[in-house]
């Protein structure tokens, strides 16, 4: 496609829709601002009255752990629920001396709503407590010295979803033991319910504070620094209220509002910054405030619209996983992206109309916008000279950039997906203290028992005894198990139930291997020659199934998201090699950020400094979420940079000069935008939630790599090497592609009548 073809007919005199929208909002700023505030108040009121709760209560239909749980519920409802441990320790006396208090506590726990059963850890009267002479390790429920035990409580729903008020009843039930001097901690999902409520305000305040400093230093204007923050805050608050209303109809994970806040603030500030920077440059060039806002909306606003759609499409790609939990995390983030785009296209022009020419009245130094150049003079500053240096030595810069991202990506090859256990939580959390007590007294595997279920419904009665013996012998020999309990039949005799304890903690890779070994090899051997079917269920088994699903579908999600982004770039810029370059470089930058996350959390390089206890696996859904979010966000900078390269190339036909020009006028705003987004994401590292820490670090590192190594080294070098061939598209493909102008010229713009030569 030639640039002449692209520019022909572009000298339109009638303003486009985005320009008319921007000018209308700037001219009628009172109406727009009041409408936003009224809508915000209404959404907040509706959310407080009708908004739903966030919950981690989700299931994986069709997986073996869910099928096993259903079998257990059908034949033994009291044993088929969701289990948690109430962990007990008395360093002064054995728990057997508190039998009356124990009985009262167990009885009160059984009376609580949603409780199916509660197991008394003390032996029945007249029987002997466990001794240390057994060949198998003691896995509970009472330790050998009798001073530590745990009550297994089974619920008909996930206890972590019951709400904070439910804990009052649990606390009341265990009060007799606490009054007797027993330390009582809550483990498993019940302990997760007892965790302190997440408070993102500290993270938000840190992100905002850094953003203010970056904007003041970068552009010098106090009002211009405050407008992106105001518009982003209003947009995110409105988006979170919409998310709360959606939560009344759909189940969203508890991390959803944190994720939505993180993404919404990042893109909200960036989108507003891009528009305000273009607006201020228009003012410096002599336009009146209303016209300047309209031009900014039709140019940078169009890029914001394309970028926002790209982010949303990338997040929508998570639905390919087929897991509703992950799909809804993507939906939650997309809600605040939509509100950020809406705020950038309407609220920002209104705020610009409100401040008018006073936008630079208060300043710390001489205000600047896109460049330091005086109006009407070409920009040939530091970034222009840097771009020329890249053009003289493209292979040197390309090699340096590739070396950097490849070195950072090395840890990725050792990535271990899994579930982060309670042992990684701060010691101030009751689930962490329960984890430590259980590990010390009963071994680390006691924190994640694997329930073995053998459905022998179709097995004739006279063959069930032989099946039980065969199954017991086979399961006893499984490698990686610290202990295996005796298989016992349910009351109707149709199901055999036992428990396998791993030698290591639930989050350890060996436990994952043990679970898969039981499912794939041991249980099929245990029931061979019969019509029985075996399952491994329980919390740990469900987490392993979830991990297996996610890891198997991650390549498909990567393929879909990359393909969609490739198509968008191809449609927008009509350059086959440009689209291919964008996809490849973004994948490389994401691989580098994965490597950093693996090194910090899985290898333990700096994890303790971030408040993580020891080495932890990468939460199974984090790479999937990171890929969709990072790929979408990195396309923001790609589109803003390439739109300026493309715009200048269409006017001049100078492929190399267009790269230098685009770097000069976008480097300041992209650098500031990236620093702001890095600070917003990095601020969430202070969260107590390790998954949030992981996402915060991964996203911040990715943006940093993307804005430095990719945008400053790789993109200029590759674009220089490609030259005008970067914009080549086969004529047949050009004819069928829809036309989307990423950063359209305002109505007054006049294209170069000659244009560059055709490239194909």
């Amino acid at each position: 496609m030639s640039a002449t073809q692209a520019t022909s007919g572009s000298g339109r005199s009638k303003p486009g829709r985005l320009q008319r929208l921007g000018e209308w909002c700037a001219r009628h700023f009172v109406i727009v601002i009041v409408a936003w505030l009224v809508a915000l108040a209404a959404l907040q009121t509706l959310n407080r009255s009708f908004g739903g709760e966030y919950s981690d209560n989700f299931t994986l239909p069709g997986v073996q752990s869910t099928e096993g749980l259903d079998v257990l519920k059908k034949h033994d409802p009291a044993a088929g629920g969701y289990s948690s441990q109430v962990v007990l320790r008395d360093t002064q006396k054995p728990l057997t001396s508190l039998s009356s208090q124990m009985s009262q506590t167990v009885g009160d726990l059984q009376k609580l709503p949603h409780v199916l059963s509660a197991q008394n850890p003390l032996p029945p009267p007249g029987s002997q407590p466990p001794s240390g002479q057994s060949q198998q390790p003691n896995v509970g429920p009472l330790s050998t010295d009798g001073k530590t035990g745990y009550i297994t409580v089974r619920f008909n729903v996930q206890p972590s979803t019951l709400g904070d008020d439910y804990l009052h009843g649990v606390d009341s039930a265990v009060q007799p033991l606490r009054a007797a001097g027993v330390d009582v901690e809550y483990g498993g999902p019940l302990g997760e319910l007892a965790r302190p409520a997440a408070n993102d305000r500290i993270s938000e305040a840190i992100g905002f504070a850094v953003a203010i400093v970056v904007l003041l230093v970068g552009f010098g204007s106090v009002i211009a620094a405050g407008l992106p923050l105001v518009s982003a805050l209003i947009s995110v608050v409105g988006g979170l209220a919409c998310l709360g209303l959606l939560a009344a109809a759909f189940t969203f994970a508890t991390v959803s509002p944190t994720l939505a806040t993180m993404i919404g603030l990042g893109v909200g500030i960036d989108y507003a910054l891009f528009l305000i920077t273009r607006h201020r440059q228009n003012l410096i060039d002599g336009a009146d405030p209303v016209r300047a806002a309209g031009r900014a909306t039709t140019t940078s606003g169009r890029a914001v619209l394309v970028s926002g759609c790209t982010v949303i499409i990338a997040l929508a790609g998570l639905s390919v996983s087929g897991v509703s939990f992950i799909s809804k995390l993507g939906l939650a983030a997309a809600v605040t992206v939509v509100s950020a785009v809406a705020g950038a296209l309407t609220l920002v022009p209104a705020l610009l109309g409100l401040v008018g020419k006073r936008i630079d009245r208060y300043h710390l130094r001489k205000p600047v916008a896109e460049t330091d150049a005086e109006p009407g003079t070409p920009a040939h500053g530091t970034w222009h000279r840097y771009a020329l240096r890249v053009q003289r030595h493209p292979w040197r810069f390309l090699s340096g950039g590739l070396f950097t991202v490849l070195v950072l990506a090395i840890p990725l090859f050792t990535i271990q997906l899994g579930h982060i256990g309670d042992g990684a939580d701060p010691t101030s959390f009751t689930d962490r203290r329960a984890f430590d007590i259980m590990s010390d007294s009963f071994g680390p595997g006691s924190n994640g028992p694997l329930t073995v279920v053998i459905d022998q419904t179709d097995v004739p009665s006279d063959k069930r005894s032989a099946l039980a013996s065969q199954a017991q012998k086979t399961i006893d020999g499984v490698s990686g198990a610290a202990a295996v309990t005796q298989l016992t039949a349910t009351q109707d005799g149709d199901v055999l139930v036992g428990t396998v304890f791993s030698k290591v903690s639930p989050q350890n890779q060996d436990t994952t291997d043990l679970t898969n070994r039981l499912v794939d090899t041991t249980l099929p051997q245990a029931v061979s020659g019969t019509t029985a079917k075996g399952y491994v269920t329980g919390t740990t088994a469900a987490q392993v199934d979830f991990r297996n699903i996610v890891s198997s579908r991650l390549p498909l999600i990567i393929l879909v998201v990359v393909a969609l982004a490739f198509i968008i770039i191809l449609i927008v810029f009509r350059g086959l090699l440009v689209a291919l370059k964008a996809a490849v470089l973004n994948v490389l930058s994401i691989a580098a950020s994965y490597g950093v996350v693996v090194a910090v959390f899985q290898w333990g390089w700096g994890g303790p400094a971030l408040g993580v206890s020891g080495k932890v696996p990468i939460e199974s859904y984090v790479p999937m979420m990171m890929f969709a979010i990072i790929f979408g966000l990195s396309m923001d900078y790609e589109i803003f940079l390439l739109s300026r390269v493309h715009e200048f190339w269409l006017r001049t036909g100078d492929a190399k000069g267009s790269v230098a020009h685009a770097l000069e006028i976008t480097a300041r705003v992209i650098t500031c935008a990236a620093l702001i987004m890095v600070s917003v994401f990095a601020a969430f590292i202070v969260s107590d939630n390790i998954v949030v820490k992981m996402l915060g670090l991964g996203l911040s590192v990715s943006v940093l790599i993307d804005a430095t190594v990719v945008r400053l080294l790789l993109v200029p070098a590759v674009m220089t090497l490609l030259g005008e061939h970067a914009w080549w598209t086969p004529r047949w493909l050009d004819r069928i592609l829809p036309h989307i102008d990423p950063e359209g010229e305002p109505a007054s713009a006049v294209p170069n009548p000659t244009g560059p030569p055709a490239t194909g």
Side-chain angles (χ1 to χ4, degrees):
M1 181 189 72
S2 70
T4 306
Q5 290 172 321
T7 57
S8 62
S10 62
R12 56 190 183 275
S13 59
K14 184 179 179 181
R17 293 180 180 177
L18 284 177
Q19 183 168 346
R20 294 198 301 271
L21 173 64
E23 291 181 356
W24 190 91
C25 291
R27 188 175 291 112
H28 303 89
F29 57 84
V30 174
I31 296 176
V32 177
I33 294 174
V34 170
W36 265 93
L37 294 178
V38 169
L40 189 64
L43 286 171
Q44 287 292 323
T45 302
L46 289 172
N47 184 34
R48 293 188 178 184
S49 302
F50 306 105
E53 297 289 334
Y54 299 100
S55 170
D56 291 328
N57 186 20
F58 72 97
T59 58
L60 297 172
V63 300
Q64 66 85 31
S65 59
T66 302
E67 293 174 352
L69 182 62
D70 291 339
V71 169
L72 201 54
K73 286 180 178 179
K74 180 180 178 181
H75 295 274
D76 189 359
Y82 303 90
S83 64
S84 286
Q85 293 78 36
V86 176
V87 182
L88 316 169
R89 170 174 281 181
D90 193 325
T91 57
Q92 303 299 321
K93 55 187 178 296
L95 296 176
T96 51
S97 64
L98 304 171
S99 58
S100 61
Q101 293 92 332
M102 187 73 72
S103 298
Q104 182 180 349
T105 294
V106 172
D108 290 344
L109 286 172
Q110 288 178 329
K111 295 176 184 177
L112 291 176
H114 303 292
V115 172
L116 297 174
S117 64
Q119 178 190 15
N120 193 322
L122 301 183
S127 61
Q128 293 295 322
S131 66
Q133 298 178 353
S134 174
Q135 293 182 352
Q136 273 202 343
N138 181 11
V139 291
L142 186 66
S143 64
T144 304
D145 62 6
K147 294 182 178 180
T148 304
Y150 58 87
I151 303 171
T152 299
V153 186
R154 297 188 182 275
F155 300 83
N156 59 9
V157 297
Q158 271 286 6
S160 60
T161 67
L162 291 175
D164 295 338
D165 292 340
Y166 191 83
L167 285 173
H168 298 319
V170 179
D171 290 338
S172 177
V174 301
Q175 184 56 35
L177 288 173
R178 282 181 169 153
V182 178
D183 294 329
V184 181
E185 306 293 350
Y186 305 141
L190 189 62
E192 295 174 10
L193 177 63
R195 289 174 179 171
N199 186 358
D200 298 328
R201 289 190 175 89
I202 296 177
S203 299
E204 294 166 7
I206 294 173
F208 262 79
V210 176
I212 291 174
V213 173
V214 171
L215 290 171
L216 287 176
V217 172
F219 297 99
S221 172
V222 175
I223 296 178
L227 291 183
L229 306 180
V230 172
S231 63
L233 181 61
I234 293 175
S235 300
V236 168
V237 171
L240 289 175
C242 292
L243 180 61
L245 292 174
L246 286 174
F250 306 99
T251 301
F252 287 90
T254 53
V255 76
S256 297
T258 300
L259 180 64
T261 300
M262 191 186 304
I263 305 304
L265 281 179
V267 300
I269 294 174
D270 274 12
Y271 290 166
L273 178 59
F274 289 131
L275 261 78
I276 293 171
T277 303
R278 190 70 175 242
H279 169 81
R280 291 175 65 235
Q281 188 64 48
N282 291 335
L283 289 179
I284 293 173
D285 292 340
D288 65 86
V290 172
R291 182 63 61 84
R295 289 180 180 176
T297 307
T298 198
T299 52
S300 294
R302 193 183 305 266
V304 163
L305 190 59
V306 174
S307 298
C309 290
T310 306
V311 176
I312 293 169
I313 289 173
L315 292 170
L318 291 172
S319 61
V320 178
S321 68
V323 181
S324 62
F325 170 82
I326 294 175
S327 302
K328 288 174 183 175
L329 283 178
L331 175 60
V335 168
T336 49
V337 174
V338 171
S339 64
V341 172
L345 297 181
T346 58
L347 181 58
V348 169
L351 293 173
L352 294 175
L354 172 65
V355 299
K357 293 185 177 181
R358 302 182 299 275
I359 191 169
D360 291 327
R361 171 174 293 183
Y362 307 104
H363 52 84
L364 301 181
R365 59 178 178 82
K366 179 183 177 182
V368 294
E370 293 179 338
T371 72
D372 296 320
E374 295 296 329
T377 62
H380 293 297
T382 302
W383 290 110
H384 188 91
R385 293 191 296 272
Y386 169 79
L388 294 179
R389 189 177 300 114
V390 175
Q391 290 172 9
R392 288 193 295 269
H393 308 285
W395 286 108
R396 183 185 303 174
F397 283 86
L398 178 62
S399 301
L402 288 176
F403 177 79
T404 301
V405 296
L406 292 177
V407 168
L408 291 175
I410 288 175
L412 171 61
F413 295 98
T414 66
I415 189 171
Q416 173 199 335
L417 299 181
H419 178 72
I420 300 173
D422 298 338
D425 283 338
T427 54
S428 59
F429 287 13
T430 183
D431 60 336
R432 166 62 189 278
R433 295 194 295 270
F435 180 94
D436 291 342
I437 293 173
M438 293 280 287
S439 298
D440 292 342
S441 300
F442 308 111
S446 63
N447 289 286
L450 302 170
T451 302
V452 174
V453 177
I454 297 178
D455 185 0
Q456 56 180 1
T457 303
D458 298 330
V459 177
S461 300
D462 58 341
K463 295 183 179 181
R464 290 184 176 182
S465 177
L467 170 62
S469 299
Q470 173 183 311
Q472 186 72 58
K473 182 179 180 181
T474 305
I475 298 173
D476 284 344
V478 66
S479 62
V484 178
T485 65
Q486 188 72 26
L487 291 173
T488 58
T490 55
Q491 190 170 1
D492 60 8
D494 288 339
V495 175
L496 296 174
V497 183
T499 305
V500 177
F501 295 88
S502 174
K503 293 180 179 179
V504 291
S505 65
Q507 73 178 21
N508 194 290
Q509 180 63 38
D510 289 346
T511 299
T512 300
D513 294 340
L514 171 62
T515 306
N516 290 328
R517 190 179 303 116
L518 284 167
V519 173
D520 299 333
T521 305
T522 306
L523 287 180
Q525 292 176 354
V527 300
S528 63
T530 72
T531 56
K533 189 171 183 180
Y535 308 90
V536 181
T537 188
T539 301
T540 301
Q543 291 165 352
V544 171
D545 282 342
F546 180 73
R547 175 256 184 206
N548 292 340
I549 289 177
V550 169
S551 60
S552 66
R553 296 178 184 175
L554 180 58
L556 178 61
I557 288 182
I558 292 175
L559 179 63
V560 169
V561 172
V562 171
L564 290 174
F566 173 83
I567 293 172
I568 291 174
I569 295 295
L570 180 60
I571 291 174
V572 171
F573 296 108
R574 318 187 80 75
L576 202 58
L577 295 180
V578 164
L580 181 62
K581 179 268 307 175
V584 172
L585 293 187
N586 284 334
V587 169
L588 287 176
S589 68
I590 293 171
S593 64
Y594 280 175
V596 173
V597 170
V598 170
V600 171
F601 291 94
Q602 186 178 313
W603 290 7
W605 291 9
L610 301 181
V612 181
S613 299
K615 302 174 183 179
V616 298
I618 306 304
E619 186 68 38
S620 53
Y621 65 87
V622 164
M624 191 177 288
M625 292 299 303
M626 277 182 59
F627 187 87
I629 295 170
I630 293 169
F631 206 92
L633 294 180
S634 63
M635 282 297 174
D636 283 355
Y637 302 139
E638 186 78 21
I639 289 172
F640 280 106
L641 176 59
L642 287 181
S643 62
R644 289 306 187 92
V645 176
H646 193 235
E647 173 190 330
F648 192 78
W649 179 76
L650 289 176
R651 289 205 307 263
T652 66
D654 183 0
K656 294 184 177 180
S658 62
V659 176
H661 170 80
L663 267 182
E664 172 67 23
I665 63 177
T666 63
R668 184 191 305 274
V669 65
I670 286 181
T671 300
C672 289
L675 286 175
I676 291 169
M677 196 173 285
V678 167
S679 65
V680 169
F681 291 154
F684 283 86
I685 295 175
V686 303
S687 171
D688 288 330
N689 188 314
I690 297 177
V691 174
V692 174
K693 288 179 184 289
M694 209 171 273
L695 285 170
L697 177 68
L699 294 177
S700 60
V701 169
S702 177
V703 172
L704 185 62
I705 294 172
D706 191 77
T708 54
V709 179
V710 174
R711 299 297 153 234
L712 299 182
L713 295 177
L714 297 178
V715 170
V718 172
M719 292 297 291
T720 297
L721 292 171
L722 292 177
E724 63 182 22
H725 300 292
W727 309 106
W728 171 80
T729 301
R731 294 187 185 277
W732 63 267
L733 182 59
D734 183 60
R735 285 193 297 269
I736 64 176
L737 289 175
H739 288 262
I740 300 176
D741 187 359
E743 193 152 320
E745 287 295 325
S748 60
V750 180
N752 179 21
T754 59
T759 60

